[in-house]
């Protein structure tokens, strides 16, 4: 992937760099009135707007030893779009701010922007601005995403009701297992730089870590089927944590059925290989960027038509607590450990 040429950022200067990074950008959405090039962008929204931001810091959120720059750019957009979709809204614009050190060449930053533009084109989003600054050493990327939706169709976390069905898109825990493999291979590489890196058999789970997608298709499905979920959140910190957010903010309890939690066979087998209980990958793994939502029981048949949505539980009265009903027939309290917990033993 490495390009031959290395142009120093200092040779272009800040404005030259911004020009080079954004020269191919054209605006796709009618709500994007003015993009890059003025003091601020201009947006004419017809509906209610939702705005979100996420910051990614080298060494904390990503490791450039195993993260290609193009993937990093792509993922930095996706994590923000996922938050917009989690409001049942459609993302329209993003702003991207970067802090870069002279460790990076112009070509390296261009690779990040290739990924950013790929995501913008795939999800029909306009890059309308940002900021560029120097950093002493590490790379920082901050993305702001702006989306829109009719007032009545915006979905929040705090409106789940007793009797609602708990659903999730896709499968869970794969991104965490992908990260585990990448970290193991990094260790192998650091110990013996000539060793063969074995990732070939793990394409699915590694791909889920390095190149996640946002569930635009699920939000489109809701619109087609005239479903408005009663609450929704995206799965960025693991299923347990997200279920607790919905339950706490909605003042409800919940039963999650272990048997119904979707885990891909690749994830399942890799977890066992690493001595991790697969359900814990789903509960505490994170970075799946799937949508977790609740629906009215009357929407059950509509949701059941969709091959990539699983009904995984039911919303209960608050007094019944937030419980996992295990395959063995036991009830456990769902507690939020976060993905760090998986690293220590388990
Ligand atoms: P100002 O000094 O007024 O903040 P800048 O020189 O930072 O303006 O930015 C000039 C234009 O380029 C603005 O439209 C800004 O939004 C855009 N821009 C700056 N950095 C980036 C970036 N990293 N990605 C996308 N757009 C950028
Ligand atoms: Mg600026």
């Amino acid at each position: 992937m490495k390009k031959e040429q290395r142009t120093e950022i200092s040779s272009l200067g800040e404005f030259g760099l911004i020009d080079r990074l954004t020269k191919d950008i054209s605006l796709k959405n009618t709500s994007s009135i003015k993009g890059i090039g003025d003091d601020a962008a201009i947006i004419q929204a017809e509906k209610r707007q939702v705005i979100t931001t996420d910051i990614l810091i080298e060494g904390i959120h990503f490791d450039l030893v195993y993260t290609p720059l193009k993937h990093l750019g792509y993922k930095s957009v996706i994590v923000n779009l996922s938050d917009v979709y989690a409001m049942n809204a459609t993302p329209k614009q993003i702003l991207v701010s970067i802090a870069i050190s002279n460790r990076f060449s112009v070509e390296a930053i261009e690779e990040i922007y290739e990924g950013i533009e790929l995501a913008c084109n795939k999800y029909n989003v306009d890059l309308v601005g940002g900021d560029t600054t120097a950093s002493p050493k590490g790379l920082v990327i901050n993305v702001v995403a702006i989306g829109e939706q009719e007032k009545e169709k915006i979905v929040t976390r705090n409106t789940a009701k007793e009797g609602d069905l708990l659903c999730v898109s896709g499968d869970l825990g794969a991104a965490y297992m992908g990260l585990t493999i990448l970290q193991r291979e990094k260790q192998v590489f650091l110990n013996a730089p000539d060793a063969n890196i074995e990732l070939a058999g793990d394409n699915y789970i590694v791909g889920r870590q390095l190149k996640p997608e946002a569930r635009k298709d699920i939000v489109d499905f809701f619109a087609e089927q005239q479903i408005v979920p009663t609450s929704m959140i995206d799965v960025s910190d693991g299923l347990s944590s997200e279920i607790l957010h919905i339950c706490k903010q909605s003042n409800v309890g919940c039963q999650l059925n272990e048997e119904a939690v979707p885990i891909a066979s690749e994830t399942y087998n890799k977890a066992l290989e690493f001595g991790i209980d697969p359900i814990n990958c789903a509960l505490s793994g994170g970075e799946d960027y799937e949508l977790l939502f609740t629906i009215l029981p009357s929407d059950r048949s509509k949701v059941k038509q969709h091959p990539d949505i699983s009904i995984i539980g039911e919303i209960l009265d608050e007094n019944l607590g937030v419980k996992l009903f295990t395959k063995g027939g036991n009830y456990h309290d769902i507690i939020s450990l976060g993905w760090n917990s998986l690293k220590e033993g388990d």
Side-chain angles (χ1 to χ4, degrees), residues 13-82:
E14 183 190 336
F15 299 119
L17 177 66
I18 296 170
D19 278 349
R20 181 134 159 202
L21 295 175
T22 59
K23 64 180 185 313
D24 295 330
I25 288 171
S26 56
L27 300 177
K28 301 179 277 283
N29 290 306
T30 50
S31 55
S32 307
I33 308 293
K34 181 150 187 79
I36 291 161
D38 216 306
D39 294 307
I42 307 174
I43 292 166
Q44 176 70 59
E46 278 152 26
K47 303 175 184 171
R48 221 164 241 207
Q49 289 193 287
V50 302
I51 305 185
T52 181
T53 186
D54 253 310
I55 191 159
L56 298 179
I57 298 184
E58 185 179 356
I60 295 180
H61 302 102
F62 59 89
D63 186 331
L64 290 177
V65 169
Y66 50 73
T67 310
L69 290 167
K70 192 168 165 180
H71 288 64
L72 178 63
Y74 192 85
K75 184 169 175 175
S76 69
V77 177
I78 294 300
V79 300
N80 282 278
L81 302 188
S82 180

Side-chain angles (χ1 to χ4, degrees), residues 256-308:
L256 170 68
N257 298 318
E258 179 182 3
E259 204 172 55
V261 174
I263 299 173
S265 56
E266 292 90 336
T267 310
Y268 195 93
N269 294 335
K270 196 53 73 173
L272 294 181
E273 197 185 310
F274 276 79
I276 302 170
D277 187 343
I279 188 67
N280 286 338
C281 293
L283 291 174
S284 308
E287 292 202 284
D288 293 306
Y289 302 107
E290 295 296 342
L291 293 174
L292 176 72
F293 54 96
T294 55
I295 55 164
L296 293 171
S298 54
D299 282 331
R300 178 196 289 266
S301 57
K302 288 183 180 173
V303 160
K304 280 208 129 185
Q305 293 168 31
H306 198 295
D308 210 23

